Amino acid sequence: MTVLTIRDVPDEEVQTLKVRAAQAGQSLQAYVRDLLARETAKPTLAEMMERLDREANADVSAGDVLGVIDEMRAGR
């Protein structure tokens, strides 16, 4: 794992994070690590737009869609 150092964080923000960590029953380190994990788990708007563009340009025919629908109905 990588060690991450963040400099010049205002004291008020650190205090707020400490209070929130305590309220969540976590250490400051665990709380901030969870914040980072949640933030990196969700795609950015640019990433989402790229994904939508890829999917919108997928080479799928109406026959492909109808075939999948038929398969799903048969599997009920």
Side-chain angles (χ1 to χ4, degrees):
M1 247 188 220
T2 300
V3 174
L4 178 67
T5 301
I6 303 173
R7 291 183 170 77
D8 302 323
V9 179
D11 292 337
E12 308 83 48
E13 292 177 11
V14 173
Q15 187 58 36
T16 297
L17 289 170
K18 285 181 179 180
V19 168
R20 290 179 183 174
Q23 290 171 338
Q26 294 179 299
S27 66
L28 178 59
Q29 178 179 332
Y31 185 79
V32 172
R33 193 173 46 236
D34 286 349
L35 282 175
L36 289 171
R38 284 195 307 270
E39 180 61 28
T40 58
K42 56 185 176 180
T44 64
L45 184 57
E47 291 167 338
M48 186 57 84
M49 294 301 293
E50 181 181 322
R51 178 179 170 192
L52 290 171
D53 187 51
R54 271 195 323 268
E55 290 178 6
N57 293 323
D59 195 19
V60 179
S61 70
D64 293 335
V65 173
L66 293 174
V68 170
I69 291 171
D70 289 340
E71 288 175 22
M72 295 301 290
R73 286 181 178 160
R76 286 191 208 179

